[in-house]
Amino acid sequence: MLTERVPVSLMSSVVAPEKPTSNTMGPKEVELILVKEQNGVQFTSTTLVNPTASQTNTSVEEERETWGKKIDFLLSVIGFAVDLANVWRFPYLCYKNGGGAFLVPYLFFMVIAGMPLFYMELALGQYNREGAAGVWKICPIFKGVGFTVILISLYVGFYYNVIISWALFYLFSSFTSELPWVHCNNTWNSPNCSDWADNSSVSDIYKATPAQEYFERGVLHIQDSNGIDDLGRPRWQLTSCLAVVIVLLYFSLWKGVKTSGKVVWITATMPYVVLTVLLLRGVTLPGAIDGIKAYLSVDFLRLCDAKVWIEAATQICFSLGVGFGVLIAFSSYNKFSNNCYRDAIITSSINSLTSFFSGFVVFSFLGYMSHKHDVALDKVARDGAGLVFVIYPEAIATLPGSSVWAVIFFIMLLSLGIDSAMGGMESVITGLIDEFKFLHKHREVFTLFIVIATFLISLFCVTNGGMYVFTLLDHFAAGTSILFGVLIEAIGIAWFYGVDRFSDDIEEMIGQRPGRYWRLCWKFVSPCFLLFMVVVSFATFNPPNYGSYMFPPWANMVGWCLAISSMTMVPLYAIYKLCTLPGKLAYAITPETEHHLVDNGEVRQFTLHHWLVV
């Protein structure tokens, strides 16, 4: 008697497969028993056998929610990647590092690392149809990196939502006939407050403009705190704004991508409308052309400075949003045959073009400020929160109809922030729900738990000394740790899972195998680039500070503990996996669907061909 077990799909000519009674039924196997009688006649007997664990992924795919429309996915990815940093970081870096010459290292790193890593994450999520942790069924020992990126996204949410609440506070404050950051005669102003009209005092480090004092003393009330060890109570105004932001996030996420995919139609497109309107207004202002010329002025000698290349590489790493688990989470809701290659090219290109375009908007207004107050451009050009909450509001305040322009500007900041915050929170929710399957039926409750927990931690950032907590989180939560996470991710996919196997997966989805360029980047160029960035990040580390305030040693220790807590997920989970698997390293580095091959001694990772093939 000969016994053979084959899938139903291969038995159609022998026995009709049983039709599933529901959409959730998984794959079946048919055990075919051939019995040869003495008269030469063969009889067949068939029985249904329970599927193995490696075959249950089909039912998961059938149950998984998908985007309502393809454009919902594209807008979500664009909305996440295009955030506040595109407005307050890239233009300043371009101006500071040789103007148009800065585009040389920026585009170079974009091509060799940014796009390949972006493409890699979209393909990884779409093929495996799970969040940042679940996708590592392709190489179980690396699952810790999934928890690393989930933790990083959670940490970023603790302070990123605070930026949105500041924008909301400014928006409410803009509904007035005279903007509150115009003069020095307000209750929060100090004797050091000085209008820009006093040109003699502009360069005085002890002087502060009305807009600067409004942000630091009127909004943050930082003057009521002596440092991070003197936070005080949460301020009710900012707390209320933070609560509104949390409610918006919850009702955008509670039903999954069916709701968030509709919200981004507004939040992802609004910034482009507002940026265009602001640019049309900005270029008509006196001095605007001088600002734009300074933004684009080419100084190729700056390319001899290693710091310029490092800043370009850093900007690429953070501007595309790789390593937060968001791209994996979003693409996991795509249809299996979606062309993720085309999506990667389109969305990453739009992100970079948006950064470049926003520079014209920013520097048209900075040129106007420089001209109006008769000071050098470098006196008004800055990056970070100081640009969007001090310099830009101040420029808007001098325009006719300033309140209207302020409302328009802060609506743009809100839309830039909300969809990026949605992406970060979706990474956490999807990653954990896919890992702990019982949460699938309780998504709404789990989402509520995550947003409330985020809100409670964020309260530390809306106290009188909240800016110190904000600065500490911003400095440590997603710096070196995110670079480390993407490095391990790239090594796990390109080397342990195998770039050839990964390319086969992509070909299975889109019918086209990635070219040699992409495979070389995944296996060699991008990992080397990321390793270099991790080393540089450690070598160039500087303790955080806010103005002249230096953080005490214990605060820096807390910051490092925060950064290390996410990075240690990688070795801790690897140790756990090696201890719990039945004594073989092969199980830990082999895809779960191939564990039966390990039992037969067939382990691809133990062959030289696996490590050399590209």
Side-chain angles (χ1 to χ4, degrees):
M1 184 174 69
L2 174 66
T3 300
E4 183 180 5
R5 186 172 294 178
V6 293
V8 169
S9 58
L10 300 180
M11 283 295 303
S12 57
S13 61
V14 180
V15 60
E18 181 178 335
K19 294 182 179 180
T21 57
S22 67
N23 292 333
T24 60
M25 178 174 287
K28 297 293 184 183
E29 280 187 348
V30 174
E31 186 175 29
L32 174 63
I33 304 175
L34 299 178
V35 183
K36 185 174 183 179
E37 300 292 344
Q38 54 267 41
N39 58 4
V41 180
Q42 291 182 344
F43 296 90
T44 63
S45 174
T46 61
T47 57
L48 286 176
V49 182
N50 289 331
T52 61
S54 63
Q55 293 173 304
T56 58
N57 60 325
T58 304
S59 62
V60 175
E61 291 181 7
E62 291 176 354
E63 293 176 358
R64 193 168 188 82
E65 181 183 15
T66 57
W67 296 97
K69 297 178 180 178
K70 172 66 175 290
I71 191 67
D72 295 351
F73 164 70
L74 292 176
L75 288 176
S76 296
V77 173
I78 292 170
F80 166 71
V82 177
D83 67 350
L84 293 165
N86 292 73
V87 174
W88 78 21
R89 182 70 175 154
F90 177 84
Y92 177 76
L93 285 178
C94 198
Y95 163 72
K96 187 179 75 170
N97 293 308
F102 181 71
L103 295 177
V104 174
Y106 179 82
L107 293 176
F108 174 72
F109 290 127
M110 176 77 173
V111 170
I112 69 164
M115 280 186 173
L117 293 171
F118 200 91
Y119 180 18
M120 180 185 74
E121 287 204 350
L122 289 184
L124 180 66
Q126 183 174 308
Y127 185 83
N128 293 285
R129 301 180 66 77
E130 290 201 52
V135 294
W136 288 102
K137 58 191 176 186
I138 64 172
C139 191
I141 199 172
F142 283 96
K143 189 179 241 182
V145 76
F147 293 112
T148 293
V149 300
I150 290 173
L151 267 182
I152 291 172
S153 291
L154 186 64
Y155 293 161
V156 170
F158 293 158
Y159 69 90
Y160 195 86
N161 296 335
V162 177
I163 304 175
I164 309 173
S165 68
W166 292 344
L168 188 61
F169 185 94
Y170 268 82
L171 178 63
F172 291 148
S173 302
S174 300
F175 289 99
T176 159
S177 57
E178 184 178 70
L179 296 174
W181 53 84
V182 174
H183 301 299
C184 290
N185 56 358
N186 301 288
T187 56
W188 58 79
N189 289 127
S190 71
N192 294 328
C193 184
S194 172
D195 290 333
W196 274 99
D198 298 328
N199 291 332
S200 60
S201 63
V202 167
S203 60
D204 190 340
I205 61 173
Y206 297 105
K207 296 295 183 181
T209 63
Q212 182 178 344
E213 289 212 338
Y214 178 73
F215 178 57
E216 294 185 342
R217 299 173 65 88
V219 178
L220 304 180
H221 278 254
I222 201 169
Q223 74 276 10
D224 297 326
S225 171
N226 295 320
I228 195 169
D229 48 2
D230 178 28
L231 296 180
R233 296 180 179 180
R235 297 194 56 77
W236 71 266
Q237 298 94 332
L238 288 179
T239 301
S240 301
C241 292
L242 182 62
V244 172
V245 172
I246 292 297
V247 170
L248 286 174
L249 287 175
Y250 175 70
F251 285 106
S252 298
L253 295 168
W254 69 322
K255 293 291 187 181
V257 295
K258 294 296 185 184
T259 53
S260 64
K262 299 299 179 285
V263 174
V264 293
W265 277 81
I266 298 174
T267 58
T269 57
M270 179 68 72
Y272 293 97
V273 175
V274 176
L275 281 171
T276 303
V277 171
L278 289 174
L279 178 61
L280 294 175
R281 181 67 181 97
V283 295
T284 64
L285 298 172
I289 302 303
D290 294 331
I292 293 175
K293 285 181 179 178
Y295 169 55
L296 295 177
S297 62
V298 178
D299 180 10
F300 284 109
L301 292 178
R302 294 285 293 145
L303 298 182
C304 298
D305 186 354
K307 187 177 180 181
V308 173
W309 291 81
I310 291 172
E311 290 194 338
T314 304
Q315 178 65 12
I316 281 295
C317 285
F318 294 109
S319 67
L320 288 176
V322 174
F324 290 93
V326 179
L327 301 178
I328 295 175
F330 280 164
S331 61
S332 72
Y333 295 108
N334 275 334
K335 294 178 180 178
F336 185 78
S337 59
N338 175 66
N339 192 335
C340 54
Y341 170 68
R342 183 176 56 200
D343 294 346
I345 299 298
I346 292 174
T347 51
S348 58
S349 298
I350 288 177
N351 175 72
S352 296
L353 289 173
T354 303
S355 297
F356 185 62
F357 176 67
S358 65
F360 290 92
V361 182
V362 170
F363 274 86
S364 63
F365 277 85
L366 292 181
Y368 163 66
M369 288 290 287
S370 173
H371 176 271
K372 183 175 180 63
H373 300 295
D374 193 24
V375 295
L377 187 65
D378 58 4
K379 294 290 185 182
V380 294
R382 65 174 76 176
D383 64 344
L387 174 65
V388 296
F389 292 112
V390 177
I391 300 298
Y392 222 92
E394 188 167 8
I396 288 174
T398 64
L399 301 176
S402 56
S403 295
V404 176
W405 290 109
V407 168
I408 292 174
F409 177 71
F410 289 112
I411 286 177
M412 181 192 72
L413 290 189
L414 277 174
S415 57
L416 280 172
I418 284 288
D419 46 17
S420 295
M422 284 167 51
M425 208 159 284
E426 184 63 56
S427 170
V428 177
I429 295 168
T430 296
L432 294 178
I433 283 179
D434 285 344
E435 181 62 21
F436 305 102
K437 303 298 184 184
F438 69 92
L439 293 174
H440 266 289
K441 297 180 180 179
H442 310 286
R443 180 186 170 100
E444 296 174 13
V445 176
F446 182 65
T447 302
L448 182 64
F449 169 76
I450 292 294
V451 298
I452 289 178
T454 302
F455 171 75
L456 294 177
I457 300 296
S458 298
L459 289 178
F460 288 101
C461 295
V462 294
T463 57
N464 293 332
M467 190 61 180
Y468 301 121
V469 180
F470 175 92
T471 303
L472 196 72
L473 288 171
D474 185 38
H475 200 81
F476 286 102
T480 305
S481 53
I482 197 74
L483 297 173
F484 172 80
V486 184
L487 171 62
I488 302 302
E489 182 181 283
I491 292 173
I493 293 172
W495 287 90
F496 282 81
Y497 182 58
V499 73
D500 57 330
R501 179 67 182 272
F502 187 58
S503 299
D504 291 340
D505 294 345
I506 294 175
E507 185 177 16
E508 184 181 345
M509 289 189 294
I510 67 176
Q512 179 182 356
R513 190 176 177 83
R516 186 171 295 275
Y517 168 77
W518 298 103
R519 302 199 302 272
L520 286 172
C521 284
W522 287 331
K523 189 149 190 175
F524 300 108
V525 182
S526 295
C528 289
F529 166 80
L530 290 166
L531 179 61
F532 168 75
M533 289 305 303
V534 170
V535 172
V536 167
S537 179
F538 277 110
T540 61
F541 172 79
N542 289 313
N545 66 284
Y546 182 73
S548 59
Y549 177 79
M550 302 301 295
F551 286 80
W554 68 264
N556 287 311
M557 289 297 296
V558 171
W560 273 114
C561 288
L562 189 75
I564 293 173
S565 67
S566 57
M567 290 189 282
T568 52
M569 290 283 90
V570 174
L572 288 179
Y573 191 88
I575 294 172
Y576 160 76
K577 206 65 182 175
L578 290 174
C579 292
T580 55
L581 285 173
K584 287 188 177 180
L585 173 64
Y587 284 111
I589 60 175
T590 302
E592 292 178 358
T593 55
E594 297 180 1
H595 280 187
H596 63 285
L597 297 178
V598 177
D599 296 330
N600 298 329
E602 303 175 28
V603 184
R604 288 186 298 113
Q605 289 83 352
F606 289 172
T607 63
L608 186 62
H609 176 266
H610 169 81
W611 297 98
L612 296 180
V613 70
V614 177

